[in-house]
Amino acid sequence: MSSMSEEADPSGIRPAGAATPTLVTFNRLELNRILNLYGRMVAAGEWRDYAIDFLKDRAVFSVFRRASEVPIYRIEKDPRLARKQGAYSVISATGLILRRGHELDRVLLAIDRKLAVV
């Protein structure tokens, strides 16, 4: 038997009933809509890489032109703002909020350029 308490257990196993930190995530429909847009932009040659971060207070989908650069757009879901300005926002590389709202589809219109036939 060791003299370590359960809180300091290095194995990472939590005792039953312990509170686990909740993370904000995109649900399947939200992620499907974002990845559809991402696929179209990759096919157009504008975007090349992405990253998804699930944090305690928000979920972030970052879009990169090249993997070594800063993200050109960040699509964020912040549930704390759901009743005020809307949970979803699109943020540019400079930190400017391009659009914020309650519906993801409407917010993504800020960066969703339809391919036009010329």
Side-chain angles (χ1 to χ4, degrees):
M1 292 264 173
S2 70
S3 62
M4 294 177 60
S5 68
E6 290 183 8
E7 294 176 353
D9 185 12
S11 67
I13 300 173
R14 296 178 184 262
T20 59
T22 59
L23 299 176
V24 177
T25 61
F26 293 109
N27 65 31
R28 183 178 298 258
L29 295 174
E30 294 165 343
L31 200 54
N32 188 30
R33 175 65 179 103
I34 293 170
L35 288 174
N36 282 339
L37 171 62
Y38 175 77
R40 285 197 317 271
M41 297 304 253
V42 166
E46 295 188 32
W47 297 350
R48 295 181 187 229
D49 200 7
Y50 72 92
I52 302 176
D53 297 312
F54 299 123
L55 307 171
K56 289 181 182 179
D57 60 340
R58 66 185 187 272
V60 182
F61 187 95
S62 303
V63 177
F64 298 87
R65 191 170 310 247
R66 290 178 191 82
S68 62
E69 295 180 352
V70 296
I72 54 175
Y73 296 111
R74 290 188 332 251
I75 302 163
E76 294 191 2
K77 176 182 178 182
D78 190 348
R80 294 176 300 163
L81 300 174
R83 293 187 180 195
K84 297 178 183 177
Q85 302 156 340
Y88 305 103
S89 59
V90 173
I91 303 170
S92 70
T94 60
L96 178 69
I97 297 175
L98 300 177
R99 187 172 286 181
R100 179 177 281 157
H102 299 282
E103 298 174 12
L104 180 61
D105 289 335
R106 295 183 61 114
V107 171
L108 290 179
L109 289 176
I111 56 175
D112 188 4
R113 297 182 201 101
K114 301 292 182 187
L115 297 177
V117 178
V118 179

Short mmCIF file of all heavy atoms in Angstrom, two decimals, residues 26-55:
data_model
loop_
_atom_site.label_atom_id
_atom_site.label_comp_id
_atom_site.label_asym_id
_atom_site.label_seq_id
_atom_site.Cartn_x
_atom_site.Cartn_y
_atom_site.Cartn_z
N PHE A 26 -18.18 20.63 -30.67
CA PHE A 26 -19.12 20.76 -31.78
C PHE A 26 -19.89 19.45 -31.86
O PHE A 26 -19.30 18.37 -31.76
CB PHE A 26 -18.39 20.99 -33.10
CG PHE A 26 -17.68 22.31 -33.19
CD1 PHE A 26 -16.31 22.39 -33.15
CD2 PHE A 26 -18.40 23.50 -33.33
CE1 PHE A 26 -15.65 23.60 -33.25
CE2 PHE A 26 -17.75 24.71 -33.42
CZ PHE A 26 -16.38 24.77 -33.38
N ASN A 27 -21.21 19.53 -32.07
CA ASN A 27 -21.95 18.29 -32.26
C ASN A 27 -21.79 17.82 -33.70
O ASN A 27 -21.15 18.47 -34.53
CB ASN A 27 -23.42 18.45 -31.86
CG ASN A 27 -24.18 19.42 -32.73
OD1 ASN A 27 -23.91 19.59 -33.91
ND2 ASN A 27 -25.15 20.08 -32.13
N ARG A 28 -22.35 16.68 -34.03
CA ARG A 28 -22.15 16.07 -35.34
C ARG A 28 -22.65 16.96 -36.47
O ARG A 28 -21.99 17.11 -37.50
CB ARG A 28 -22.86 14.72 -35.39
CG ARG A 28 -22.64 13.97 -36.68
CD ARG A 28 -23.33 12.63 -36.65
NE ARG A 28 -22.80 11.78 -35.62
CZ ARG A 28 -21.94 10.80 -35.82
NH1 ARG A 28 -21.51 10.56 -37.03
NH2 ARG A 28 -21.51 10.06 -34.84
N LEU A 29 -23.81 17.58 -36.31
CA LEU A 29 -24.35 18.44 -37.37
C LEU A 29 -23.50 19.69 -37.58
O LEU A 29 -23.27 20.11 -38.71
CB LEU A 29 -25.79 18.84 -37.03
CG LEU A 29 -26.81 17.69 -37.00
CD1 LEU A 29 -28.16 18.19 -36.53
CD2 LEU A 29 -26.91 17.06 -38.37
N GLU A 30 -23.04 20.29 -36.49
CA GLU A 30 -22.18 21.47 -36.60
C GLU A 30 -20.86 21.13 -37.29
O GLU A 30 -20.42 21.84 -38.21
CB GLU A 30 -21.90 22.04 -35.21
CG GLU A 30 -23.10 22.59 -34.51
CD GLU A 30 -22.87 22.81 -33.03
OE1 GLU A 30 -21.91 22.26 -32.45
OE2 GLU A 30 -23.68 23.54 -32.43
N LEU A 31 -20.26 20.03 -36.88
CA LEU A 31 -18.99 19.64 -37.47
C LEU A 31 -19.16 19.25 -38.93
O LEU A 31 -18.31 19.56 -39.76
CB LEU A 31 -18.39 18.48 -36.67
CG LEU A 31 -16.90 18.24 -36.83
CD1 LEU A 31 -16.12 19.50 -36.54
CD2 LEU A 31 -16.45 17.12 -35.93
N ASN A 32 -20.27 18.62 -39.27
CA ASN A 32 -20.55 18.27 -40.66
C ASN A 32 -20.65 19.52 -41.52
O ASN A 32 -20.09 19.59 -42.62
CB ASN A 32 -21.84 17.45 -40.74
CG ASN A 32 -22.07 16.90 -42.13
OD1 ASN A 32 -21.13 16.63 -42.86
ND2 ASN A 32 -23.33 16.73 -42.47
N ARG A 33 -21.35 20.55 -41.04
CA ARG A 33 -21.49 21.80 -41.79
C ARG A 33 -20.14 22.49 -41.98
O ARG A 33 -19.81 22.97 -43.06
CB ARG A 33 -22.48 22.72 -41.06
CG ARG A 33 -22.64 24.08 -41.66
CD ARG A 33 -23.25 24.02 -43.05
NE ARG A 33 -23.40 25.35 -43.59
CZ ARG A 33 -22.61 25.88 -44.52
NH1 ARG A 33 -21.61 25.19 -45.01
NH2 ARG A 33 -22.82 27.10 -44.96
N ILE A 34 -19.33 22.51 -40.93
CA ILE A 34 -18.02 23.15 -41.01
C ILE A 34 -17.10 22.38 -41.96
O ILE A 34 -16.42 22.97 -42.79
CB ILE A 34 -17.39 23.27 -39.60
CG1 ILE A 34 -18.19 24.23 -38.74
CG2 ILE A 34 -15.94 23.71 -39.68
CD1 ILE A 34 -17.80 24.23 -37.28
N LEU A 35 -17.10 21.04 -41.87
CA LEU A 35 -16.23 20.25 -42.73
C LEU A 35 -16.69 20.28 -44.19
O LEU A 35 -15.85 20.16 -45.09
CB LEU A 35 -16.15 18.82 -42.21
CG LEU A 35 -15.33 18.66 -40.93
CD1 LEU A 35 -15.40 17.24 -40.40
CD2 LEU A 35 -13.89 19.08 -41.14
N ASN A 36 -17.99 20.45 -44.45
CA ASN A 36 -18.44 20.62 -45.83
C ASN A 36 -17.88 21.91 -46.42
O ASN A 36 -17.41 21.92 -47.56
CB ASN A 36 -19.97 20.63 -45.90
CG ASN A 36 -20.56 19.25 -45.82
OD1 ASN A 36 -19.89 18.26 -46.07
ND2 ASN A 36 -21.82 19.17 -45.43
N LEU A 37 -17.94 22.98 -45.66
CA LEU A 37 -17.36 24.24 -46.11
C LEU A 37 -15.85 24.09 -46.30
O LEU A 37 -15.30 24.53 -47.31
CB LEU A 37 -17.65 25.36 -45.10
CG LEU A 37 -16.93 26.68 -45.32
CD1 LEU A 37 -17.33 27.30 -46.66
CD2 LEU A 37 -17.21 27.63 -44.17
N TYR A 38 -15.19 23.44 -45.36
CA TYR A 38 -13.75 23.24 -45.44
C TYR A 38 -13.39 22.45 -46.71
O TYR A 38 -12.45 22.80 -47.42
CB TYR A 38 -13.25 22.51 -44.20
CG TYR A 38 -11.79 22.16 -44.26
CD1 TYR A 38 -10.82 23.13 -44.04
CD2 TYR A 38 -11.37 20.87 -44.56
CE1 TYR A 38 -9.48 22.83 -44.12
CE2 TYR A 38 -10.03 20.56 -44.64
CZ TYR A 38 -9.09 21.54 -44.42
OH TYR A 38 -7.76 21.24 -44.51
N GLY A 39 -14.14 21.40 -47.01
CA GLY A 39 -13.87 20.59 -48.19
C GLY A 39 -14.00 21.38 -49.49
O GLY A 39 -13.18 21.23 -50.41
N ARG A 40 -15.01 22.24 -49.56
CA ARG A 40 -15.18 23.07 -50.76
C ARG A 40 -14.03 24.05 -50.92
O ARG A 40 -13.54 24.29 -52.02
CB ARG A 40 -16.51 23.83 -50.70
CG ARG A 40 -17.69 22.96 -50.98
CD ARG A 40 -18.93 23.76 -51.33
NE ARG A 40 -19.17 24.93 -50.51
CZ ARG A 40 -19.86 24.93 -49.39
NH1 ARG A 40 -20.40 23.82 -48.94
NH2 ARG A 40 -20.04 26.05 -48.72
N MET A 41 -13.57 24.64 -49.81
CA MET A 41 -12.48 25.61 -49.89
C MET A 41 -11.14 24.93 -50.19
O MET A 41 -10.29 25.52 -50.85
CB MET A 41 -12.40 26.41 -48.59
CG MET A 41 -13.66 27.23 -48.33
SD MET A 41 -14.05 28.32 -49.68
CE MET A 41 -13.61 29.86 -48.98
N VAL A 42 -10.96 23.71 -49.73
CA VAL A 42 -9.75 22.96 -50.07
C VAL A 42 -9.76 22.64 -51.57
O VAL A 42 -8.76 22.78 -52.26
CB VAL A 42 -9.63 21.67 -49.23
CG1 VAL A 42 -8.58 20.73 -49.80
CG2 VAL A 42 -9.30 22.01 -47.79
N ALA A 43 -10.92 22.23 -52.07
CA ALA A 43 -11.05 21.93 -53.50
C ALA A 43 -10.80 23.17 -54.35
O ALA A 43 -10.26 23.07 -55.46
CB ALA A 43 -12.43 21.36 -53.80
N ALA A 44 -11.13 24.34 -53.84
CA ALA A 44 -10.89 25.59 -54.56
C ALA A 44 -9.44 26.05 -54.41
O ALA A 44 -9.03 27.00 -55.07
CB ALA A 44 -11.83 26.67 -54.04
N GLY A 45 -8.68 25.39 -53.54
CA GLY A 45 -7.27 25.73 -53.36
C GLY A 45 -7.00 26.87 -52.40
O GLY A 45 -5.89 27.38 -52.34
N GLU A 46 -8.00 27.28 -51.64
CA GLU A 46 -7.82 28.41 -50.73
C GLU A 46 -7.35 28.00 -49.34
O GLU A 46 -6.61 28.74 -48.70
CB GLU A 46 -9.13 29.20 -50.62
CG GLU A 46 -9.52 29.86 -51.92
CD GLU A 46 -10.71 30.77 -51.74
OE1 GLU A 46 -10.85 31.36 -50.65
OE2 GLU A 46 -11.49 30.90 -52.68
N TRP A 47 -7.82 26.86 -48.84
CA TRP A 47 -7.45 26.39 -47.51
C TRP A 47 -6.68 25.08 -47.65
O TRP A 47 -6.90 24.32 -48.58
CB TRP A 47 -8.68 26.17 -46.65
CG TRP A 47 -9.49 27.38 -46.37
CD1 TRP A 47 -9.16 28.68 -46.64
CD2 TRP A 47 -10.77 27.43 -45.76
NE1 TRP A 47 -10.16 29.52 -46.24
CE2 TRP A 47 -11.17 28.78 -45.69
CE3 TRP A 47 -11.63 26.48 -45.27
CZ2 TRP A 47 -12.37 29.19 -45.16
CZ3 TRP A 47 -12.83 26.86 -44.73
CH2 TRP A 47 -13.20 28.22 -44.67
N ARG A 48 -5.79 24.83 -46.68
CA ARG A 48 -5.00 23.60 -46.77
C ARG A 48 -4.95 22.78 -45.49
O ARG A 48 -4.63 21.61 -45.53
CB ARG A 48 -3.57 23.95 -47.17
CG ARG A 48 -3.51 24.52 -48.54
CD ARG A 48 -2.10 24.81 -48.92
NE ARG A 48 -2.13 25.53 -50.18
CZ ARG A 48 -1.40 25.21 -51.21
NH1 ARG A 48 -0.58 24.21 -51.14
NH2 ARG A 48 -1.48 25.90 -52.32
N ASP A 49 -5.22 23.37 -44.36
CA ASP A 49 -5.09 22.64 -43.11
C ASP A 49 -6.08 23.19 -42.09
O ASP A 49 -6.57 24.31 -42.24
CB ASP A 49 -3.66 22.78 -42.57
CG ASP A 49 -3.30 21.69 -41.57
OD1 ASP A 49 -4.10 20.75 -41.39
OD2 ASP A 49 -2.22 21.78 -40.96
N TYR A 50 -6.37 22.40 -41.06
CA TYR A 50 -7.26 22.86 -40.00
C TYR A 50 -6.83 22.26 -38.67
O TYR A 50 -6.05 21.31 -38.61
CB TYR A 50 -8.72 22.51 -40.29
CG TYR A 50 -9.07 21.04 -40.17
CD1 TYR A 50 -9.54 20.51 -38.97
CD2 TYR A 50 -8.95 20.18 -41.25
CE1 TYR A 50 -9.88 19.18 -38.85
CE2 TYR A 50 -9.28 18.85 -41.15
CZ TYR A 50 -9.74 18.36 -39.95
OH TYR A 50 -10.06 17.03 -39.84
N ALA A 51 -7.35 22.83 -37.60
CA ALA A 51 -7.12 22.33 -36.25
C ALA A 51 -8.40 22.52 -35.46
O ALA A 51 -9.14 23.48 -35.67
CB ALA A 51 -5.98 23.08 -35.58
N ILE A 52 -8.68 21.58 -34.58
CA ILE A 52 -9.86 21.66 -33.71
C ILE A 52 -9.38 21.65 -32.27
O ILE A 52 -8.60 20.78 -31.87
CB ILE A 52 -10.83 20.49 -33.94
CG1 ILE A 52 -11.28 20.45 -35.39
CG2 ILE A 52 -12.02 20.60 -33.01
CD1 ILE A 52 -12.17 19.26 -35.71
N ASP A 53 -9.84 22.61 -31.49
CA ASP A 53 -9.50 22.68 -30.07
C ASP A 53 -10.79 22.67 -29.27
O ASP A 53 -11.70 23.46 -29.52
CB ASP A 53 -8.73 23.97 -29.76
CG ASP A 53 -7.40 24.04 -30.47
OD1 ASP A 53 -6.66 23.04 -30.41
OD2 ASP A 53 -7.11 25.08 -31.08
N PHE A 54 -10.87 21.77 -28.30
CA PHE A 54 -12.00 21.70 -27.39
C PHE A 54 -11.51 22.16 -26.03
O PHE A 54 -10.75 21.47 -25.36
CB PHE A 54 -12.57 20.29 -27.31
CG PHE A 54 -13.07 19.77 -28.62
CD1 PHE A 54 -12.57 18.60 -29.15
CD2 PHE A 54 -14.04 20.46 -29.33
CE1 PHE A 54 -13.04 18.12 -30.36
CE2 PHE A 54 -14.51 19.99 -30.54
CZ PHE A 54 -14.01 18.82 -31.05
N LEU A 55 -11.94 23.34 -25.63
CA LEU A 55 -11.51 23.95 -24.38
C LEU A 55 -12.65 23.90 -23.37
O LEU A 55 -13.77 23.52 -23.69
CB LEU A 55 -11.07 25.38 -24.63
CG LEU A 55 -10.01 25.55 -25.74
CD1 LEU A 55 -9.82 27.02 -26.05
CD2 LEU A 55 -8.72 24.90 -25.34
#
